[in-house]
């Protein structure tokens, strides 16, 4: 009798051990499997905790950001894409081309810079683009340590109610003779997709071409130049584009 009880007890202990091992293995298996939530719970703060990834703007070769919202000036004179480059960046590239093939011009030969003329005119017409390009070329040439003469500067300062000025467009207020050996000038032509600009440096006495450069400036870079009155662009009146019939 006692032997049977001992055998029953051993069998019970063995069964308990086996069941315990089975429960432990089931618990381990259950722990390895991902626990699915009873409800579809979304952690709304996970986005805030995630590291912020800097977005890089898609910029094309002309410096325009791809497909952003349109921007407009207060007066409505300009409406278009924001730009990462302006006309000065194109003048910088053209100046490097001029320097690369330039001859005879040195730090001892002063250079004058004129406005760029419209090619299909009598070469006596320009626009805001031609004027701004001349200003940008003065800056770029000076960076290369080429002496630049500003022939529009007077020998006095004019003080008016509108401001203090030393530059003028009145040739009667300028000196007749200036120490200019070379002049940087050029032409502009409207082209499909932009304005084709031809720049060159000429000898004042020889008329010889000593440097050249050419570049296509996109229309949306040209249109970013806004007249000082801010009311209309070239060929625009009250937001309406005018054309000759």
């Amino acid at each position: 009798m006692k032997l049977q009880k001992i055998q029953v007890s051993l069998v019970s202990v063995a069964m308990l051990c086996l069941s315990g091992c089975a429960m432990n293995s089931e618990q381990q298996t259950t722990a390895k499997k991902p626990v699915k939530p009873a409800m579809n719970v979304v952690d709304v703060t996970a986005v805030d905790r995630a590291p912020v990834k800097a977005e890089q703007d898609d910029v094309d070769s002309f410096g325009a950001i791809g497909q952003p919202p349109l921007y407009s000036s207060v007066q409505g004179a300009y409406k278009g894409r924001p730009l990462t480059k302006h006309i000065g960046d194109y003048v910088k590239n053209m100046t490097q081309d001029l320097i690369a093939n330039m001859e005879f011009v040195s730090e001892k030969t002063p250079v004058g810079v004129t406005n760029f003329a419209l090619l299909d005119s009598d070469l006596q017409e320009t626009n805001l683009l031609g004027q701004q390009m001349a200003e940008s070329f003065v800056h770029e040439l000076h960076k290369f340590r080429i002496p630049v003469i500003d022939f529009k500067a007077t020998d006095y300062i004019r003080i008016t109610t509108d401001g203090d000025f030393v530059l003028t467009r009145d040739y009667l207020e300028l000196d007749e003779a200036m120490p200019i050996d070379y002049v940087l000038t050029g032409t502009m032509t409207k082209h499909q997709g932009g304005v084709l600009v031809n720049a060159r440096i000429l000898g004042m006495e020889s008329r010889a071409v000593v440097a050249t450069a050419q570049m296509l400036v996109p229309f949306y870079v040209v249109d970013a130049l806004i007249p000082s009155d801010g009311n209309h662009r070239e060929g625009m009146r009250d937001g309406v584009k005018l054309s000759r019939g």
Side-chain angles (χ1 to χ4, degrees), residues 98 116 123 183-187 198-202 209-213:
L98 288 171
F116 282 55
L123 299 182
V183 60
L184 189 155
T185 187
T187 59
N198 302 277
R200 54 185 172 269
I201 298 179
L202 305 172
V209 177
V210 298
T212 59

Side-chain angles (χ1 to χ4, degrees), residues 94 116 119 185-189 196-200 213-215:
M94 295 183 68
F116 282 55
L119 184 60
T185 187
T187 59
M188 302 176 297
T189 307
L196 186 61
V197 179
N198 302 277
R200 54 185 172 269
Q214 186 180 77
M215 179 164 289

Side-chain angles (χ1 to χ4, degrees), residues 3-4 8 40 67 113 115 118 135 145 150 162 173 235 239:
L3 181 60
Q4 292 179 353
V8 171
N40 187 16
Q67 305 302 326
V113 182
N115 298 149
L118 297 174
E135 297 295 324
R145 295 299 183 263
D150 194 342
D162 296 328
E173 298 179 346

Side-chain angles (χ1 to χ4, degrees), residues 121-234:
S121 69
D122 59 355
L123 299 182
Q124 301 298 311
E125 297 181 20
T126 187
N127 54 20
L128 185 58
L129 174 61
Q131 295 171 350
Q132 179 55 49
M133 289 188 65
E135 297 295 324
S136 297
F137 270 115
V138 171
H139 168 65
E140 294 298 332
L141 289 178
H142 182 71
K143 286 169 57 177
F144 280 94
R145 295 299 183 263
I146 296 177
V148 180
I149 302 297
D150 194 342
F151 50 83
K152 292 189 294 293
T154 62
D155 56 357
Y156 57 88
I157 299 176
R158 180 186 293 107
I159 300 176
T160 68
T161 56
D162 296 328
D164 308 330
F165 306 100
V166 72
L167 301 178
T168 182
R169 295 189 185 277
D170 188 353
Y171 71 96
L172 296 176
E173 298 179 346
L174 301 175
D175 294 335
E176 295 181 1
M178 293 188 181
I180 298 178
D181 296 333
Y182 296 92
V183 60
L184 189 155
T185 187
T187 59
M188 302 176 297
T189 307
K190 289 186 178 180
H191 192 275
Q192 182 180 4
V195 176
L196 186 61
V197 179
N198 302 277
R200 54 185 172 269
I201 298 179
L202 305 172
M204 286 295 292
E205 295 183 2
S206 64
R207 308 296 193 272
V209 177
V210 298
T212 59
Q214 186 180 77
M215 179 164 289
L216 180 68
V217 181
F219 272 132
Y220 51 81
V221 176
V222 176
D223 292 341
L225 296 172
I226 303 174
S228 57
D229 56 14
N231 294 325
H232 63 271
R233 293 181 294 179
E234 183 180 1

Side-chain angles (χ1 to χ4, degrees), residues 71-79 226-233 236-240:
Y71 285 80
S72 176
S73 64
V74 177
Q75 299 89 355
Y78 173 76
K79 184 177 181 181
I226 303 174
S228 57
D229 56 14
N231 294 325
H232 63 271
R233 293 181 294 179
M236 299 287 292
R237 295 295 185 278
D238 300 325
V240 179

Side-chain angles (χ1 to χ4, degrees), residues 61-131:
S61 58
F62 292 118
I65 303 174
Q67 305 302 326
L70 296 179
Y71 285 80
S72 176
S73 64
V74 177
Q75 299 89 355
Y78 173 76
K79 184 177 181 181
R81 293 177 289 179
L83 303 178
T84 59
K85 290 185 179 180
H86 54 80
I87 188 62
D89 295 302
Y90 293 87
V91 171
K92 180 187 298 184
N93 293 335
M94 295 183 68
T95 304
Q96 294 175 354
D97 290 343
L98 288 171
I99 299 298
N101 65 83
M102 187 171 61
E103 298 178 308
F104 307 114
V105 181
S106 66
E107 67 278 359
K108 297 181 180 180
T109 54
V111 177
V113 182
T114 67
N115 298 149
F116 282 55
L118 297 174
L119 184 60
D120 56 350
S121 69
D122 59 355
L123 299 182
Q124 301 298 311
E125 297 181 20
T126 187
N127 54 20
L128 185 58
L129 174 61
Q131 295 171 350

